[in-house]
Amino acid sequence: MPTVHLTEANFKSTVESGLVFLDFWAAWCGPCRIIAPILDQLATEYSGKAKVAKLDVDANIRTATRFNVRSIPMVIFFKDGKVVDQVIGAVPRPVLEEKFKKHAA
C-alpha cells in the first residue's frame, strides 16, 4: 500500500481508522528526505496491517501545532485515533521497523 498524503481535511478520518504511522515532514527538510524511502518500504511491507501517512507541516500548520511538532521528521503512531508512540529525527531503519513490529503485532 502506498503512503497516504494527509491534509487537515482528511486527517481525522484517516487516523481514526486502525493503525496509522504518520510522518510529519516538509519539502525543505533534509532528514525528512532521508527517512522517506524507509517509510515507503515499510508501508509496502506492512500493507494490510497499518497505514503509513505523510503530513506536510508547512501546508497543515494547525495539525502540526495540535500535536506539538517542533522538530521534523517526527513520526507519530496512532491506534484508533489515539497517539500510542512517536519517533523524532532521522533514525535508522531498525528503529522504525521495531516500532512497526511492536504496534502492528
Side-chain angles (χ1 to χ4, degrees):
M1 173 183 281
T3 304
V4 178
H5 291 273
L6 296 187
T7 64
E8 290 174 352
N10 67 352
F11 177 85
K12 186 176 180 180
S13 63
T14 302
V15 299
E16 289 181 349
S17 62
L19 188 57
V20 179
F21 303 133
L22 179 56
D23 176 25
F24 288 84
W25 73 288
W28 50 263
C29 170
C32 297
R33 291 193 301 270
I34 290 170
I35 70 164
I38 297 168
L39 290 171
D40 289 342
Q41 291 167 356
L42 291 170
T44 300
E45 292 171 26
Y46 284 84
S47 180
K49 294 181 183 177
K51 288 182 193 169
V52 176
K54 299 175 77 61
L55 185 115
D56 182 337
V57 296
D58 290 335
N60 301 281
I61 295 168
R62 195 172 4 170
T63 302
T65 301
R66 177 176 163 207
F67 289 97
N68 203 26
V69 176
R70 296 175 186 249
S71 182
I72 56 174
M74 180 175 185
V75 180
I76 297 181
F77 300 82
F78 291 88
K79 189 163 194 170
D80 299 323
K82 294 185 169 79
V83 175
V84 294
D85 209 342
Q86 70 180 24
V87 174
I88 299 172
V91 297
R93 180 187 166 105
V95 173
L96 289 169
E97 195 165 18
E98 186 60 37
K99 296 287 188 176
F100 272 65
K101 287 178 183 176
K102 175 183 174 184
H103 296 294

